[in-house]
Amino acid sequence: MHWHETSCGVPQSSVILPLLFLLCIDGITQVSSFHTTLFADDINLHMSNSDFTVLQTTVNLELCKIDHWLRANKLSLNYNKTNFMLLNYQKHNPTSLKMIINNYNISPKDSLKVQGVLDNKLSWKPHVKR
């Protein structure tokens, strides 16, 4: 075993990693008006609004708060694993919603892994197909 000094964070595969991560990330639920679901190292942010323009504006303002909190707590976000999904928005194409965090455009998806796989029609069909 090799020892390395860590000035910030927790070494991968350490026994105490899950507890320290949960203690560290728990504050994210107090930062914004997103409804937040935490599961292991996954964070799901939920927001709804019947007005598409208000939804886009509010989501982007709240994402700025999340980004600021992450930076202040020396946490990073894997932009390649960050996506969004619109539920039941028949009038709007998901690609017309511009969601941005730290100048990174978040990509829309038709289905996401949410403790399984859920699609934008609230069905578990992608999960069942696996």
Side-chain angles (χ1 to χ4, degrees), residues 60-125:
N60 282 306
L61 288 171
E62 297 303 310
L63 286 174
C64 283
K65 292 177 187 178
I66 295 288
D67 182 55
H68 178 74
W69 185 88
L70 288 169
R71 291 171 182 275
N73 287 280
K74 297 184 173 143
L75 295 169
S76 61
L77 183 65
N78 186 337
Y79 298 115
N80 295 323
K81 292 183 177 181
T82 303
N83 300 292
F84 75 90
M85 181 173 62
L86 282 178
L87 301 176
N88 295 328
Y89 260 95
Q90 292 89 13
K91 297 177 187 176
H92 298 283
N93 182 341
T95 59
S96 66
L97 181 64
K98 301 299 178 205
M99 290 183 36
I100 300 167
I101 188 165
N102 191 26
N103 296 319
Y104 179 84
N105 291 315
I106 301 173
S107 303
K109 297 287 183 183
D110 289 332
S111 66
L112 296 173
K113 290 182 180 180
V114 182
Q115 299 168 11
V117 179
L118 179 68
D119 69 12
N120 59 358
K121 305 227 182 330
L122 295 176
S123 102
W124 295 97
K125 289 180 183 175

Side-chain angles (χ1 to χ4, degrees), residues 34-47:
F34 279 116
H35 297 281
T36 308
T37 306
L38 302 173
F39 182 76
D41 64 347
D42 287 335
I43 301 170
N44 292 291
L45 305 172
H46 316 270
M47 184 169 284

Side-chain angles (χ1 to χ4, degrees), residues 4-68:
H4 298 282
E5 182 177 328
T6 302
S7 61
C8 178
V10 179
Q12 292 291 321
S13 303
S14 69
V15 175
I16 198 165
L17 175 66
L19 175 62
L20 291 176
F21 178 77
L22 289 174
L23 290 172
C24 185
I25 203 70
D26 188 54
I28 202 167
T29 62
Q30 306 302 314
V31 173
S32 78
S33 62
F34 279 116
H35 297 281
T36 308
T37 306
L38 302 173
F39 182 76
D41 64 347
D42 287 335
I43 301 170
N44 292 291
L45 305 172
H46 316 270
M47 184 169 284
S48 65
N49 196 300
S50 58
D51 185 318
F52 190 78
T53 305
V54 172
L55 178 66
Q56 178 173 274
T57 302
T58 307
V59 164
N60 282 306
L61 288 171
E62 297 303 310
L63 286 174
C64 283
K65 292 177 187 178
I66 295 288
D67 182 55
H68 178 74

